[in-house]
Amino acid sequence: MNTQNPCSTQAKSLAAATVAALTVTAMLCAGPAAANSGHGAELRSENREIRDQLSMLQKATAAFNSYDVASAAGWNAMISDCVSSPAGAMGYHIANLEALEGSPFELNLLRPEVLLYAPLPDGSMEFLGVEYIVPYTPDNASTPPEMLGQVLQYNPHLEIWALHVWTERHNPEGIFAPFNPEVSCPVD
């Protein structure tokens, strides 16, 4: 864990707009998104391939339990403040901007675009999970991208497709739910 709080980074100027957009979109998507398999329920035995992929993802991102390691590896752009809602929180969104570039854009199971962190009372950061993000384009407008057997959710405010995966912190709402009721943000 790291004692550096990402709130002090240059990316804070992007936070206000991103937080509002993420919060509104996640609240709108939280109900109907339950159609995604695994959302709101534990993965069942018939989801062995997805469980195996999740295990590979956890191994690939295990070093990111250290915020310093994640930052050194390229996940160093804070694109939101700590996002929360009455349904719980998402935490801070720390992006690898290089992973968001490229044409054609391709998702990579072992290289998510965003890491999710929550602040701890001692000022360090807890690694919660990952988020896959695909820029919305006319080419993918009618066919949403998929990852881990899930259709990514469209965020009209940010013009992206997104999927949260709670690999490190259990989410009673489901491993792919947008908000986690067991996560909270600091109160200003």
Side-chain angles (χ1 to χ4, degrees), residues 95-110:
N96 181 322
L97 296 180
E98 184 178 293
L100 288 170
E101 297 174 354
S103 183
F105 188 88
E106 294 183 23
L107 286 171
N108 180 335
L109 173 68
L110 305 180

Side-chain angles (χ1 to χ4, degrees), residues 20-38:
L22 286 169
T23 302
V24 169
T25 301
M27 290 172 72
L28 292 173
C29 294
N36 285 346
S37 63

Side-chain angles (χ1 to χ4, degrees), residues 132-155:
Y132 293 97
I133 294 177
V134 175
Y136 178 86
T137 67
D139 293 337
N140 67 21
S142 63
T143 309
E146 293 186 29
M147 175 59 74
L148 294 165
Q150 307 300 303
V151 173
L152 276 67
Q153 298 172 2
Y154 177 59
N155 180 322

Side-chain angles (χ1 to χ4, degrees), residues 60-61 63-64 66-77 94-99 111-113 115 117:
T61 59
F64 301 147
S66 165
Y67 183 81
D68 288 334
V69 170
S71 183
W75 282 268
N76 53 18
I94 311 299
N96 181 322
L97 296 180
E98 184 178 293
R111 189 170 169 81
E113 291 73 26
L115 304 178
Y117 286 90

Side-chain angles (χ1 to χ4, degrees), residues 11 14-16 18-19 22 77-83 90-94:
L14 299 173
T18 304
V19 170
L22 286 169
M78 185 175 67
I79 60 171
S80 80
D81 205 346
C82 192
V83 178
M90 294 179 182
Y92 293 99
H93 292 69
I94 311 299

